Amino acid sequence: MPAAANATKDAIEITRLRRQLAEHVAQIKHLKRLVTKLQRMHFGPRSERWIDPGSVGSGVVAKPLPVPEAPPSSPVAKAPGVPRPRIRRNFPDHLSRESVFHPPETAHCPDCGGRLKPLGEDVSEILEYVPASFKVVRHIRPKLACACCDHIAQAPAPSRPIPRSFAGPALLAHVMVGKYCDHLPLYRQSGICQRSGIILNPSTLGDWIGQSHHLLTPLVEALRRYVFLAEKLHADDTPIRVLAPGEGKTRIGRLWTYVRDDRPAGTTDPAAVWLAYSANRKGEHPQAHLKSYQGILQADAYAGYNLVYEQGVQEAACWAHVRRKFFDIHQAYASPLAGEAVQRIGALYALEAPLRGKPPDDRLQGRVPAKALLNDFHAWLLKVRATLSQKSELSGAMGYALNQWTALIGYVSDGRIEIDNNAAERSLRAVALGRKNFLFAGSDAGGERAAAFYSLIGTAKLNGIDPEAYLSAVLARIADHPINRVDELLPWNLSIDTLATPLREAA
């Protein structure tokens, strides 16, 4: 009897150890995946491009990479390792040109002594840099006195963006764009100015930003109203570190973005983005932002939006989020099932590519073939997930897709909806880049200022306008502009002539 009891006890202990070992193995796999992901984020390419010439179960074959044609044979052999000359890109027409003529050393032929006549010319262009410079604008207001009654006449003093400040609108715009578009902290900007002999303390620059934010608040509010008039919004959020006063440490605040951009659906309405700051990520914040909105909200699976959907807003999900989960698993474990999921989603994107920029009805018609792919994908997810452990990461990725399925397939029945929420993610790219240069926002007020300037700069860029030229034009006018006509200062309402050169995005 004792031997049987010991055997039972040993069996129980072996079962417990096996369960514990399985848990440890699963945890090790999870940690290895995190390490691989972090290594790829820090040291590897961030692109999620998928290159695979194989085929998937749905019958969709990925296109192989094109094979470059062999260069034509040339009688002149090139030395090995010498790069082929690149074709120089034409420089933009708006750049000023300075011509330097190089005439021949003599006007007579060195062989026969005859006079040389024009045959043509060779022109080559070199791109040069003119360092930024400061200038002082002197406002001179003569005083005139009447000889009869001693009346004194003088023009009124021109208004300034910031009362009693020597900062002009172009300088203020330069500081704001430097911080929120080019990601230059104020102390770096102060050092750059010092090289030109101008002493501008970081505290002074910070005061300018705070007072400019107060001046531009009505314009940001007008931008918010325009954004929330859209039939469809893209929404997302991202963390931002904020200094906790008196604690000597930082806490995590949040920037929420809402994008109105229906250009992929063939509309001509200007695109715009509005950002808001909150001290935390509670669902009450997006619910407050969207309390009066009625339309389509395309976002991730954040639970804070659930109450918004319950109040009548139509939910639309993001296939890019689903794809990213499978892509990360395949990168970490080389999982063939995750790879097949990525390829199936790629087939949906391949159908979507030629439909961008077309009106909703045309997009709806072009998405008909996607319905069969989605039905097949859904059946495949259910079948494969039933064979996996519920604790596996692949099962979790499939569960995410299945839980969001109704919102994910909404785009095939509504031509206004996009296949993904990348418009919102692109609007937060500047914030992500800024986090690499700024340690934290100094306060909640600093977070609110950041949200306002990211909104104005992001909207200008969406409309192909140089944000510095735009802010300079706005700051030169807004102090004297009627507040009930502040909509006239939105980027698409200002004459392009007042905004200098349109922004030219890099190819």
Side-chain angles (χ1 to χ4, degrees), residues 316-319 322 374 400-402 404-412 419:
C318 173
W319 274 104
V322 177
L374 288 168
Y400 176 87
L402 292 171
Q404 297 291 309
W405 193 256
T406 301
L408 284 169
I409 65 174
Y411 82 100
V412 297
I419 192 173

Side-chain angles (χ1 to χ4, degrees), residues 246-489:
E247 299 181 13
K249 59 182 181 180
T250 60
R251 51 184 171 80
I252 302 298
R254 217 76 189 179
L255 283 177
W256 307 83
T257 184
Y258 301 93
V259 181
R260 174 179 179 174
D261 188 359
D262 292 323
R263 293 174 298 179
T267 66
T268 57
D269 296 336
V273 55
W274 179 75
L275 282 84
Y277 167 81
S278 66
N280 51 53
R281 205 194 181 206
K282 293 182 179 179
E284 62 191 31
H285 302 298
Q287 292 161 14
H289 303 154
L290 298 160
K291 62 181 179 181
S292 59
Y293 177 70
Q294 293 295 321
I296 302 168
L297 181 66
Q298 191 146 17
D300 57 18
Y302 173 55
Y305 297 123
N306 290 345
L307 185 60
V308 176
Y309 300 137
E310 293 174 4
Q311 295 174 350
V313 174
Q314 181 179 344
E315 180 183 6
C318 173
W319 274 104
H321 279 77
V322 177
R323 181 189 183 279
R324 189 172 298 128
K325 292 180 181 295
F326 289 112
F327 181 87
D328 289 341
I329 293 173
H330 185 271
Q331 288 292 105
Y333 307 126
S335 167
L337 292 175
E340 182 172 350
V342 172
Q343 287 186 299
R344 287 177 178 270
I345 297 172
L348 298 175
Y349 274 88
L351 291 174
E352 190 70 15
L355 303 178
R356 293 195 176 276
K358 295 186 177 181
D361 291 342
D362 292 349
R363 299 212 301 175
L364 199 60
Q365 184 65 28
R367 289 169 175 173
V368 171
K371 296 181 179 180
L373 296 180
L374 288 168
N375 291 335
D376 188 42
F377 190 21
H378 187 263
W380 181 83
L381 287 173
L382 292 174
K383 177 181 177 181
V384 174
R385 194 185 184 211
T387 65
L388 301 175
S389 168
Q390 294 184 356
K391 296 183 179 180
S392 68
E393 295 180 49
L394 185 58
S395 177
M398 292 181 173
Y400 176 87
L402 292 171
N403 291 336
Q404 297 291 309
W405 193 256
T406 301
L408 284 169
I409 65 174
Y411 82 100
V412 297
S413 57
D414 191 331
R416 298 170 298 173
I417 302 177
E418 300 301 319
I419 192 173
D420 55 38
N421 194 36
N422 286 347
E425 295 194 5
R426 286 193 297 269
S427 70
L428 294 174
R429 188 174 298 167
V431 182
L433 292 173
R435 280 198 298 258
K436 298 180 180 180
N437 294 273
F438 304 109
L439 294 178
F440 48 77
S443 63
D444 289 336
E448 293 171 358
R449 288 195 291 267
F453 289 121
Y454 280 133
S455 300
L456 294 174
I457 291 173
T459 299
K461 293 172 69 176
L462 281 176
N463 289 273
I465 295 173
D466 179 2
E468 186 168 341
Y470 169 64
L471 288 177
S472 178
V474 168
L475 289 169
R477 306 176 183 195
I478 194 169
D480 299 324
H481 197 83
I483 194 170
N484 60 343
R485 291 165 45 198
V486 72
D487 289 10
E488 297 174 359
L489 299 181

Side-chain angles (χ1 to χ4, degrees), residues 135-173:
K135 70 176 181 179
V136 177
V137 180
R138 302 178 66 208
H139 293 277
I140 302 173
R141 299 181 296 130
K143 293 182 180 180
L144 301 178
C146 178
C148 299
C149 64
D150 296 331
H151 173 78
I152 299 176
Q154 187 181 32
S159 62
R160 305 184 183 190
I162 300 176
R164 297 183 298 278
S165 172
F166 61 83
L171 178 58
L172 293 173

